[in-house]
Every structure is written in C-alpha cells, then in structure tokens.
Coordinates of all heavy atoms in Angstrom, one line a residue:
R1 N 121.4 72.8 35.3 CA 121.5 72.6 36.7 C 122.4 73.5 37.4 O 123.6 73.5 37.0 CB 121.8 71.1 37.1 CG 121.9 70.7 38.5 CD 120.4 70.6 39.0 NE 120.5 70.3 40.5 CZ 120.5 68.9 41.0 NH1 120.3 67.9 40.3 NH2 120.5 68.8 42.3
F2 N 122.2 74.1 38.5 CA 123.0 75.0 39.2 C 123.2 74.4 40.7 O 122.4 74.8 41.6 CB 122.4 76.4 39.3 CG 122.2 77.0 37.9 CD1 121.0 76.8 37.2 CD2 123.2 77.9 37.4 CE1 120.9 77.5 36.0 CE2 123.0 78.5 36.2 CZ 121.8 78.3 35.5
G3 N 124.1 73.6 41.0 CA 124.3 73.0 42.3 C 123.1 72.2 42.7 O 122.2 71.8 41.9
P4 N 123.0 71.8 44.0 CA 122.1 70.8 44.4 C 120.7 71.2 44.5 O 119.7 70.4 44.6 CB 122.7 70.3 45.7 CG 123.4 71.5 46.3 CD 124.0 72.2 45.0
H5 N 120.4 72.7 44.7 CA 119.1 73.0 45.0 C 118.3 73.8 43.8 O 117.3 74.2 44.0 CB 119.3 73.9 46.2 CG 119.7 73.2 47.4 ND1 119.0 72.1 47.9 CD2 120.8 73.5 48.1 CE1 119.8 71.6 49.1 NE2 120.8 72.5 49.2
T6 N 119.1 74.0 42.8 CA 118.5 75.0 41.7 C 118.8 74.3 40.4 O 119.7 73.9 40.0 CB 119.3 76.3 41.8 OG1 119.4 76.7 43.2 CG2 118.7 77.3 40.8
L7 N 117.6 74.6 39.6 CA 117.6 74.1 38.2 C 116.7 75.1 37.4 O 115.7 75.7 37.9 CB 116.9 72.8 38.1 CG 116.7 72.1 36.8 CD1 116.9 70.5 36.7 CD2 115.5 72.3 36.2
A8 N 117.2 75.4 36.1 CA 116.5 76.3 35.3 C 116.0 75.6 34.0 O 116.8 74.7 33.4 CB 117.3 77.5 34.9
V9 N 114.8 76.0 33.6 CA 114.4 75.4 32.2 C 114.0 76.6 31.3 O 113.2 77.5 31.8 CB 113.0 74.6 32.5 CG1 112.4 74.1 31.2 CG2 113.4 73.4 33.4
A10 N 114.4 76.5 30.1 CA 114.0 77.6 29.1 C 113.8 77.1 27.9 O 114.1 76.0 27.4 CB 115.6 78.5 28.9
Y11 N 112.7 77.9 27.4 CA 112.2 77.4 26.0 C 111.3 78.7 25.5 O 110.6 79.4 26.3 CB 111.3 76.3 26.0 CG 110.1 76.4 27.0 CD1 108.8 76.9 26.5 CD2 110.2 76.1 28.2 CE1 107.7 77.0 27.3 CE2 109.1 76.1 29.1 CZ 107.9 76.6 28.7 OH 106.8 76.9 29.4
D12 N 111.5 79.0 24.2 CA 110.7 80.0 23.5 C 110.5 81.2 24.4 O 109.5 81.8 24.6 CB 109.2 79.4 23.3 CG 108.5 80.2 22.2 OD1 109.2 81.0 21.4 OD2 107.3 80.0 22.2
S13 N 111.7 81.8 24.8 CA 111.7 83.1 25.5 C 111.1 83.0 26.9 O 110.7 84.0 27.5 CB 111.2 84.3 24.7 OG 111.9 84.3 23.6
I14 N 110.9 81.9 27.5 CA 110.3 81.6 28.8 C 111.5 80.8 29.6 O 112.2 80.1 29.1 CB 109.1 80.8 28.9 CG1 108.0 81.4 28.0 CG2 108.6 80.5 30.3 CD1 107.5 82.7 28.6
R15 N 111.6 81.3 30.8 CA 112.7 80.7 31.7 C 112.1 80.6 33.1 O 111.6 81.4 33.8 CB 113.9 81.6 31.7 CG 115.2 80.9 32.4 CD 116.4 81.8 32.0 NE 117.5 81.0 32.6 CZ 118.0 81.4 33.9 NH1 117.5 82.2 34.7 NH2 119.1 80.7 34.2
W16 N 112.1 79.3 33.6 CA 111.6 78.9 34.8 C 112.7 78.5 35.7 O 113.8 77.9 35.2 CB 110.8 77.7 34.7 CG 109.6 77.8 33.9 CD1 109.3 77.6 32.6 CD2 108.3 78.3 34.4 NE1 108.0 77.7 32.2 CE2 107.4 78.2 33.3 CE3 107.8 78.7 35.6 CZ2 106.1 78.7 33.4 CZ3 106.4 79.2 35.7 CH2 105.6 79.2 34.6
V17 N 112.8 78.9 36.9 CA 113.8 78.5 37.9 C 113.0 77.8 39.1 O 112.3 78.3 39.7 CB 114.6 79.8 38.5 CG1 115.8 79.3 39.4 CG2 115.2 80.4 37.1
Y18 N 113.6 76.6 39.3 CA 113.1 75.7 40.5 C 114.2 75.7 41.6 O 115.3 75.3 41.2 CB 112.8 74.4 39.9 CG 111.6 74.4 38.8 CD1 112.1 74.3 37.5 CD2 110.4 74.5 39.1 CE1 111.2 74.2 36.4 CE2 109.4 74.5 38.2 CZ 109.8 74.4 36.8 OH 108.9 74.3 35.8
C19 N 113.8 75.9 42.7 CA 114.6 75.7 43.9 C 113.9 74.8 44.9 O 112.8 75.0 45.0 CB 115.0 77.0 44.7 SG 115.9 78.3 43.6
A20 N 114.6 73.9 45.3 CA 114.0 72.8 46.3 C 115.0 72.4 47.3 O 116.3 72.4 47.1 CB 113.5 71.6 45.4
G21 N 114.4 71.8 48.4 CA 115.2 71.3 49.4 C 116.1 72.2 50.3 O 117.1 71.7 50.7
V22 N 115.7 73.3 50.3 CA 116.5 74.4 51.0 C 116.1 74.3 52.6 O 115.0 74.4 52.8 CB 116.2 75.8 50.4 CG1 116.9 77.0 51.2 CG2 116.6 75.8 49.0
K23 N 117.0 74.2 53.4 CA 117.0 74.1 54.8 C 117.7 75.1 55.6 O 118.7 75.6 55.0 CB 117.3 72.7 55.3 CG 116.7 71.6 54.7 CD 117.1 70.3 55.2 CE 116.4 69.1 54.6 NZ 116.9 67.7 55.1
P24 N 117.4 75.6 56.7 CA 118.0 76.6 57.4 C 119.1 75.9 58.3 O 119.1 74.8 58.5 CB 116.9 77.2 58.4 CG 115.9 76.1 58.6 CD 116.0 75.3 57.3
D25 N 120.0 76.9 58.9 CA 120.7 76.4 60.0 C 120.0 75.9 61.2 O 119.3 76.8 61.8 CB 121.8 77.5 60.3 CG 122.7 77.1 61.4 OD1 122.5 76.1 62.0 OD2 123.7 78.1 61.7
G26 N 119.9 74.7 61.5 CA 119.0 74.1 62.6 C 119.5 74.6 63.9 O 118.8 74.3 64.9
S27 N 120.7 75.1 64.0 CA 121.1 75.5 65.3 C 120.7 76.8 65.8 O 120.7 77.3 67.1 CB 122.7 75.5 65.4 OG 123.2 76.5 64.6
L28 N 120.0 77.5 64.8 CA 119.5 79.1 65.2 C 118.3 78.8 66.2 O 117.5 77.8 66.0 CB 119.0 79.7 64.0 CG 120.1 80.1 62.9 CD1 119.6 80.6 61.6 CD2 121.0 81.1 63.7
P29 N 118.1 79.7 67.1 CA 117.1 79.6 68.3 C 115.7 80.0 67.8 O 115.3 81.1 68.1 CB 117.7 80.5 69.3 CG 118.4 81.6 68.5 CD 118.9 81.0 67.3
G30 N 115.0 79.2 67.2 CA 113.6 79.4 66.9 C 113.2 79.5 65.5 O 114.1 79.7 64.6
V31 N 111.9 79.5 65.2 CA 111.4 79.5 63.8 C 111.7 80.7 63.1 O 112.0 80.8 61.9 CB 109.9 79.2 63.8 CG1 109.3 79.4 62.5 CG2 109.7 77.8 64.3

C-alpha cells in the first residue's frame, strides 16, 4: 500500500498498480 489512493500487487514478474478515489481541487473553475 502506498498512501490512501495507491496499491500495488506483484507476482511472477507481473506488477499491477491500482489508484482509486482521486478527486480534483473542487474550487477550480470548471470541468
């Protein structure tokens, strides 16, 4: 686990990285 938004899974020379729950600065003006 790397902080609240990132996790890595490794096995047999394969490595997956999952990122979730990432949000922008909601005060920015527009999409």
Side-chain angles (χ1 to χ4, degrees):
R1 181 76 182 262
F2 300 84
H5 300 296
T6 311
L7 180 146
V9 177
Y11 60 90
D12 198 19
S13 299
I14 300 291
R15 191 166 184 267
W16 301 92
V17 178
Y18 300 97
C19 297
V22 175
K23 299 180 180 180
D25 178 352
S27 67
L28 292 171
V31 170

